[in-house]
Amino acid sequence: MRRLLYLLPVALFGVLALFFLKGLTMNPRDIPSVLINRPVPEMNLAPLPGRGEDTGLATADLKGRVSLVNIYGSWCIACVQEHPYLVKIKQMGIVPIHGIDWRDDPAEGAKWLKKHGDPYDRVGVDPAPGRTAIDFGVTGAPETFVVDKAGIIRYKHIGPVSQDVWENTLLPIIKELSK
Amino acid sequence: MKKLAVALMLLAATPAFAADPSEMLKDPVLEKKAEDLGHELRCLVCQNESIEDSNADLARDLRVIVRERIAKGETPDQVKQYVVDRYGDYVLLKPPFKITTLVLWLGPFALLVLGALAAFAVFRRRGAAATQTQSAPLSAEEKRRLDALLKDNGQ
């Protein structure tokens, strides 16, 4: 019995080591969002130039059906990586994607969409200091929010959307919310 | 000459501030409030820097918004709540004391107390063992043998 007591520090060390090992495999960029299950913030963003009838993005635009809100910017490198997949999602016609052109010159944002394709239904411009992005708790671009029919944020994905993220994470949530 | 040059250069060097002078509030009291608060807020991009120390765009945006709100007359606690509402407790460099952070705050002290108790128990047992051996008197037989041995030695 006494012998076992001497093993206690070793056991404690083992537990700590397990926690640290787990920590090594976690992504420090995945900061849990406090906005999950809260309504989308109040916003009324101006449209991008040259997008036809788009009137920008307002809170009311996110009610009525499940939608994605994607934060992007013409300065954002990882956005270039995810963009072709967003265009693909648009072609599937399952869910509308709205864009927020964050901390960007609207002219640049529009030019960037011409170059890389335009998957968005509506685009709102959020110039520095990016009040709407901060209301969304954005930590960097790209980020993608799933918003339900009532305009409540249900999920936040940090980083580029890929086929894997779409099929295994976003699509199941969208299907569940669309019921 | 070289020493003089170094001294001059050191004189010219000022501490680096991430905050752009143009961002700073005119009122030094309010600016101090905003700075103190900014030092408590984590930059979400560089994560181990405060927004006052970080050069990231997002940190800059938050600095601007913190100053705006302070200038409007909000208290630092109100502004802090505004940021926490959007980014969670994670944004605070010093985690708040509440149920979910109890282990974090009290764990080290609990371990310290545990260690002290263990050390106390061990030392007390050792002390008790030591006095016990000291106080055991020699039996008559032992005494006789000891005397004999000492006598032998004396010869």
Side-chain angles (χ1 to χ4, degrees), chain A residues 30-90:
Chain A
D30 280 344
I31 303 157
S33 174
V34 284
L35 287 149
I36 306 299
N37 297 332
R38 285 215 239 148
V40 284
E42 280 304 316
M43 59 175 167
N44 194 0
L45 301 176
L48 268 191
R51 286 194 82 252
E53 288 167 12
D54 186 8
T55 54
L57 188 61
T59 313
D61 297 327
L62 296 174
K63 283 174 189 158
R65 66 178 293 192
V66 180
S67 58
L68 296 180
V69 175
N70 177 249
I71 313 285
Y72 86 103
S74 67
W75 46 269
C76 157
I77 313 279
C79 299
V80 181
Q81 188 193 334
E82 78 166 352
H83 214 66
Y85 205 78
L86 294 183
V87 174
K88 219 177 234 174
I89 294 173
K90 154 110 181 157

Side-chain angles (χ1 to χ4, degrees), chain A:
Chain A
M1 197 51 217
R2 178 125 301 164
R3 284 271 152 78
L4 284 180
L5 208 60
Y6 286 119
L7 286 177
L8 194 66
V10 182
L12 277 175
F13 171 78
V15 171
L16 262 184
L18 277 178
F19 271 102
F20 288 147
L21 212 64
K22 170 92 177 106
L24 279 181
T25 61
M26 281 165 79
N27 182 359
R29 300 265 153 211
D30 280 344
I31 303 157
S33 174
V34 284
L35 287 149
I36 306 299
N37 297 332
R38 285 215 239 148
V40 284
E42 280 304 316
M43 59 175 167
N44 194 0
L45 301 176
L48 268 191
R51 286 194 82 252
E53 288 167 12
D54 186 8
T55 54
L57 188 61
T59 313
D61 297 327
L62 296 174
K63 283 174 189 158
R65 66 178 293 192
V66 180
S67 58
L68 296 180
V69 175
N70 177 249
I71 313 285
Y72 86 103
S74 67
W75 46 269
C76 157
I77 313 279
C79 299
V80 181
Q81 188 193 334
E82 78 166 352
H83 214 66
Y85 205 78
L86 294 183
V87 174
K88 219 177 234 174
I89 294 173
K90 154 110 181 157
Q91 284 160 357
M92 293 177 203
I94 297 168
V95 63
I97 312 172
H98 304 297
I100 293 180
D101 188 16
W102 180 40
R103 289 190 120 266
D104 206 2
D105 173 4
E108 289 297 316
K111 215 164 81 186
W112 192 85
L113 287 186
K114 284 225 171 69
K115 187 175 169 193
H116 296 282
D118 188 344
Y120 302 123
D121 266 39
R122 289 172 170 275
V123 179
V125 182
D126 186 28
R131 286 164 213 284
T132 300
I134 286 173
D135 283 344
F136 267 100
V138 166
T139 60
E143 276 183 18
T144 306
F145 294 84
V146 182
V147 179
D148 76 3
K149 290 175 201 166
I152 291 169
I153 298 172
R154 292 301 184 184
Y155 187 76
K156 168 184 177 174
H157 174 75
I158 297 178
V161 171
S162 60
Q163 183 167 0
D164 175 49
V165 171
W166 168 251
E167 283 174 0
N168 297 318
T169 310
L170 298 181
L171 190 56
I173 296 170
I174 291 164
K175 276 188 176 154
E176 185 61 36
L177 293 174
S178 300
K179 273 182 193 162

Side-chain angles (χ1 to χ4, degrees), chain B residues 133-149:
Chain B
T133 40
Q134 247 170 25
S135 64
L138 295 178
S139 64
E141 169 66 9
E142 277 166 344
K143 218 164 191 172
R144 200 186 53 74
R145 273 192 66 201
L146 182 63
D147 285 343
L149 282 169

Side-chain angles (χ1 to χ4, degrees), chain B residues 7-25:
Chain B
L8 279 177
M9 275 192 273
L10 282 175
L11 203 68
T14 50
F17 295 110
D20 198 299
S22 67
E23 295 170 5
M24 285 155 82
L25 295 174

Side-chain angles (χ1 to χ4, degrees), chain B:
Chain B
M1 193 58 219
K2 211 172 180 181
K3 271 183 191 161
L4 185 71
V6 170
L8 279 177
M9 275 192 273
L10 282 175
L11 203 68
T14 50
F17 295 110
D20 198 299
S22 67
E23 295 170 5
M24 285 155 82
L25 295 174
K26 297 263 183 311
D27 184 340
V29 179
L30 292 183
E31 174 60 27
K32 176 83 171 59
K33 268 192 201 173
E35 257 172 47
D36 288 348
L37 176 58
H39 280 299
E40 291 177 35
L41 298 176
R42 185 192 300 275
C43 166
L44 282 305
V45 183
C46 348
Q47 303 205 342
N48 280 328
E49 274 186 307
S50 76
I51 60 166
E52 284 302 314
D53 299 323
S54 171
N55 276 316
D57 287 338
L58 184 60
R60 187 199 171 85
D61 289 351
L62 282 167
R63 280 201 300 273
V64 168
I65 287 172
V66 162
R67 278 167 179 72
E68 246 176 40
R69 293 187 162 253
I70 293 280
K72 257 197 275 173
E74 284 188 23
T75 66
D77 277 344
Q78 281 171 316
V79 182
K80 198 195 265 184
Q81 193 56 47
Y82 163 88
V83 184
V84 170
D85 282 345
R86 281 150 186 81
Y87 290 101
D89 288 338
Y90 181 78
V91 79
L92 301 173
L93 282 168
K94 186 175 166 189
F97 186 78
K98 55 188 199 184
I99 297 286
T100 46
T101 57
L102 218 60
V103 174
L104 183 70
W105 277 101
L106 298 183
F109 299 106
L111 281 179
L112 190 70
V113 169
L114 225 68
L117 283 178
F120 183 70
V122 166
F123 286 132
R124 207 178 52 169
R125 199 178 310 125
R126 272 196 201 156
T131 39
Q132 215 168 32
T133 40
Q134 247 170 25
S135 64
L138 295 178
S139 64
E141 169 66 9
E142 277 166 344
K143 218 164 191 172
R144 200 186 53 74
R145 273 192 66 201
L146 182 63
D147 285 343
L149 282 169
L150 285 171
K151 227 180 241 169
D152 277 358
N153 217 13
Q155 273 182 351

